[in-house]
Amino acid sequence: MKIEDAYKEFITRLQLILAVIVITIVGYVISLFVDTTPLSLLSNFIVGLTLSYSLVASLAGYLYSPRFIDQIDKIREYFPQSTALGIILGFFFLLFSYLSTYIGFLSFFLDGLALAFDVLLTPLIFRGISFPKLMKEIKVGIKSDFTSFLILYVLALLSLLPLIDIIAIPLNAILSYLLLKEFYPFI
C-alpha cells in the first residue's frame, strides 16, 4: 500500500507542516473578519482556498524543496490553478452546508469527499493536464488502489478538523501523488 510510503516520506520531511501552519493561521485570521456561520458564503470559500493552498504548498515541498520560501514560490507559480481548485472546493462546501439542513451531519462526509477529489487533482495541476483528462485519471487511480483512496478520504476528513489538519494535509498530498505516480509515471 502507498500509505506506508507516504508516511515514510512525510516523516523525513516534517518541515512541510510549517507552510500548512502559516497558511492555516492566515485563513483563520481572515475568517475572523467575515461572517463565520456555516452558511456564510465567504467562510466556505476561505476554507476551500486555505485547504487548496495548503495542499499545493505541501506537494511543492515534497516534490521540489521543503524550504518554506520555495513552497510559497510554488503557490505563486500555480496560483491560478490552486485558486480555481479552492473556489470549486468552496462552492461544494457552500452547497453541502445548505444541504446540511436536510441531511445533517452527513454534510461533513460530503465535504470530505469533495476535499478528497481536490487532493487527487492537486498533483495533476503541477503537470498541466486538462480537466477531462483529469477526471479520467482520477477514475483509473481510484479503481486501481481503492484502499489507498479510502485512506485518502479518511485523511481528507481529518484535514477538515483544526490542529489535525496540520499533519493530515501534507500526508494526504504525498499519498495522492504516490497513488497517481504509480499508474502515471509522467506525473
Side-chain angles (χ1 to χ4, degrees), residues 35-45 47 88-112 114 160:
D35 182 21
T36 57
T37 62
L39 300 178
S40 169
L41 176 70
L42 286 177
S43 69
N44 285 297
F45 286 106
V47 170
I88 292 169
L89 186 60
F91 172 76
F92 280 110
F93 287 167
L94 179 67
L95 177 68
F96 298 148
S97 68
Y98 282 114
L99 287 176
S100 69
T101 57
Y102 302 109
I103 60 175
F105 72 93
L106 291 177
S107 66
F108 176 74
F109 295 104
L110 291 174
D111 286 345
L160 296 172

Side-chain angles (χ1 to χ4, degrees), residues 124 129-138 186:
L124 299 174
I129 299 172
S130 67
F131 186 73
K133 190 170 182 179
L134 282 175
M135 297 314 292
K136 179 182 166 216
E137 307 296 335
I138 287 174
F186 62 85

Side-chain angles (χ1 to χ4, degrees), residues 108-109 111-113 115 152-161:
F108 176 74
F109 295 104
D111 286 345
L113 188 61
L115 181 57
L152 192 127
Y153 175 67
V154 169
L155 284 171
L157 290 172
L158 292 174
S159 297
L160 296 172
L161 303 174

Side-chain angles (χ1 to χ4, degrees), residues 52 55-56 59 63 78 81-82 84-89 92 113-139 141-142 149 152 172-173 175-177 179-180 187:
S52 182
L55 284 167
V56 169
L59 199 56
L63 293 176
Y78 293 102
Q81 297 94 330
S82 57
L85 285 177
I87 290 172
I88 292 169
L89 186 60
F92 280 110
L113 188 61
L115 181 57
F117 281 106
D118 188 66
V119 168
L120 280 172
L121 291 173
T122 301
L124 299 174
I125 67 169
F126 280 91
R127 300 297 181 240
I129 299 172
S130 67
F131 186 73
K133 190 170 182 179
L134 282 175
M135 297 314 292
K136 179 182 166 216
E137 307 296 335
I138 287 174
K139 285 194 316 191
I142 291 171
F149 178 74
L152 192 127
N172 218 353
L175 177 61
S176 69
Y177 175 77
L179 181 63
L180 292 173
I187 290 179

